[in-house]
Amino acid sequence: MAAIAAATCLVAAACGGGGSSGALGSGTGANLQLMIASSGPAETEAVQAAAATWGKETGNHVTVIPASDISQQLTQAFAGGSPPDMFYGSPAQFDVLASSGLLAATGGKVRDPTDFYPPLIKAFTLNNTFYCAPKDFSTLALEINTDLWQKAGLKMGDWPTTWAQLQTDAKKLTSGNVVGLVVQDTLDRVGAFMKQAGGSYQNAEGKFTFDSPQNIKGLEFVQTLAKEGVLKFPKQVNVGSGDEALGKGVAAMVVEGNWIVGDLKTNYPKIHYVVVPLPKGPAGAGTLSFTNCWGVAAASKHQAAAVSFVNYLTTTEQQLTFAGAVGVLPSRPSARAAFIEKFPAQRAFIDQADVAMPQVTTQGFAAVQASFDANIINITSLKPAQMLRQLQDFSNALGS
């Protein structure tokens, strides 16, 4: 995408300094194209319904384009000089599009631009410019099979709130074919323990900090649980994900995001479970956040209409509609109370939103994460400090 973005700049001269065109254009009578990375019919229908309602209210029209591979299709559209006016923008795409001038800086132009969770704003800010409004987000929490919890003689409601309690409970829950805790073998799960130890992937200046003492401590805790046999990765219990491990009863606890709610309801409707915040580590609470934004193309002639549509899409009412249809969390803190009232069983996901570590947007980071993900399966025989030093060297090379 980076190479194609650069080529697009040369051919189409679309790359302005701040990524925002001069005039926003008219806010009415526009025909917008919106490309989405739909998770399925429910999400597509929810976005189409929102587009139809907003269009009727404002005199605009929106064509919703569900993409089978949004990264590839966006790349092709930008390279061809005819990108959609709006699109789902992931953190991985954001840095390329913003730094190449292909993304309009509309984040600060929406209504109440500071009314988004700080980690989400950070995920879509480059050089102090807030480019695109977060459409929603997901976080990690701890899901517990309550039948297995009671079978192990543990008290309902006495959920683990610290690393020490998590370790103790995981030992008690590990028996026979059941392992106490299953965590996906990826930085997108293990990284939560680094955050709880006070670590981070990057510092305030954007420099990578993988080999920090805090990150090492977080990875060492994961290693300790793995060596004790009370933490395993999905493939080690013959399943493909934490959702499946909990649903099939081979894991008493898993670390997963709010997407698990819909998956368990659809595929394992008889499972009894509870969702609680991730236990606190030495530095306190910590989780990870995953998000997309409402991106607007710098080449769009309908930016005013697009901002108006984003304002509609990020109202409390519409965010709650998406939450019910797709299982996501509202990106605006002002919608938090209404979300908890409507979805009380999912409160744990949103309660740690303020302490969530966002995804890395640096170009090329996918290769760094792939290196971590390929090695973490061997956690019991690895040296955490050495592994993270190698990851630090790899990530440092991105800036060279």
Side-chain angles (χ1 to χ4, degrees):
M1 179 175 279
I4 291 177
T8 305
C9 291
L10 292 174
V11 175
C15 299
S20 177
S21 63
L24 283 176
S26 172
T28 60
N31 289 309
L32 295 173
Q33 287 188 328
L34 168 61
M35 184 178 289
I36 65 173
S38 179
S39 60
E43 181 172 8
T44 298
E45 291 170 8
V47 175
Q48 289 173 332
T53 301
W54 173 80
K56 186 176 181 180
E57 292 178 356
T58 62
N60 296 296
H61 177 76
V62 181
T63 299
V64 178
I65 306 170
S68 56
D69 186 334
I70 193 166
S71 181
Q72 180 183 47
Q73 289 173 241
L74 271 180
T75 298
Q76 293 171 341
F78 275 110
S82 57
D85 299 278
M86 298 177 61
F87 48 87
Y88 280 14
S90 71
Q93 298 164 323
F94 160 73
D95 189 73
V96 173
L97 296 176
S99 60
S100 300
L102 299 174
L103 184 66
T106 57
K109 296 172 182 175
V110 302
R111 185 183 303 114
D112 297 328
T114 59
D115 182 32
F116 295 101
Y117 287 100
L120 305 183
I121 294 177
K122 179 180 179 181
F124 298 111
T125 296
L126 180 67
N127 297 328
N128 297 317
T129 299
F130 180 27
Y131 273 84
C132 51
K135 75 180 192 70
D136 50 48
F137 73 111
S138 300
T139 64
L140 301 177
L142 186 69
E143 293 80 27
I144 302 172
N145 182 317
T146 52
D147 290 335
L148 293 176
W149 184 267
Q150 290 179 295
K151 185 178 179 180
L154 295 169
K155 182 180 178 181
M156 290 289 286
D158 189 19
W159 317 121
T161 59
T162 66
W163 277 7
Q165 289 175 314
L166 179 67
Q167 184 175 13
T168 298
D169 291 338
K171 289 179 181 179
K172 292 179 180 178
L173 290 163
T174 299
S175 177
N177 295 325
V178 177
V179 64
L181 178 64
V182 166
V183 178
Q184 195 81 26
D185 50 333
T186 172
L187 186 63
D188 285 340
R189 302 294 183 277
V190 177
F193 294 96
M194 297 180 187
K195 171 66 173 174
Q196 293 154 18
S200 64
Y201 303 150
Q202 294 173 299
N203 61 21
E205 289 72 41
K207 295 186 181 298
F208 286 100
T209 55
F210 275 111
D211 59 351
S212 71
Q214 294 86 353
N215 284 340
I216 293 172
K217 181 178 289 186
L219 192 55
E220 285 177 340
F221 177 66
V222 175
Q223 183 182 62
T224 296
L225 298 183
K227 284 184 173 181
E228 292 176 345
V230 301
L231 179 152
K232 291 185 181 297
F233 300 120
K235 61 191 65 174
Q236 294 173 328
V237 290
N238 300 314
V239 297
S241 67
D243 305 31
E244 187 180 359
L246 194 73
K248 288 187 173 180
V250 296
M253 301 184 291
V254 298
V255 174
E256 283 297 342
N258 36 298
W259 50 80
I260 195 174
V261 175
D263 189 16
L264 293 179
K265 182 178 180 181
T266 300
N267 298 309
Y268 307 99
K270 296 182 179 180
I271 196 77
H272 300 125
Y273 72 102
V274 64
V275 182
V276 300
L278 290 179
K280 295 179 180 179
T287 186
L288 306 181
S289 66
F290 308 91
T291 185
N292 282 298
C293 75
W294 295 110
V296 178
S300 173
K301 298 178 181 179
H302 307 295
Q303 290 183 29
V307 170
S308 172
F309 191 25
V310 173
N311 284 334
Y312 176 80
L313 293 168
T314 56
T315 60
T316 295
E317 294 75 17
Q318 190 56 49
Q319 290 209 328
L320 291 179
T321 297
F322 287 146
V326 189
V328 290
L329 307 176
S331 58
R332 291 189 180 275
S334 58
R336 178 180 179 276
F339 174 83
I340 292 174
E341 182 178 359
K342 190 169 184 178
F343 306 103
Q346 299 185 47
R347 177 169 185 162
F349 292 116
I350 205 166
D351 272 353
Q352 292 189 337
D354 289 325
V355 293
M357 184 161 58
Q359 294 158 276
V360 174
T361 61
T362 304
Q363 295 180 37
F365 183 73
V368 177
Q369 175 161 348
S371 174
F372 180 94
D373 293 356
N375 287 293
I376 191 64
I377 190 71
N378 301 311
I379 184 64
T380 55
S381 59
L382 292 173
K383 294 181 179 179
Q386 180 179 341
M387 178 184 180
L388 292 178
R389 274 196 296 272
Q390 292 174 342
L391 203 66
Q392 179 70 25
D393 292 339
F394 193 175
S395 59
N396 285 344
L398 296 179
S400 61

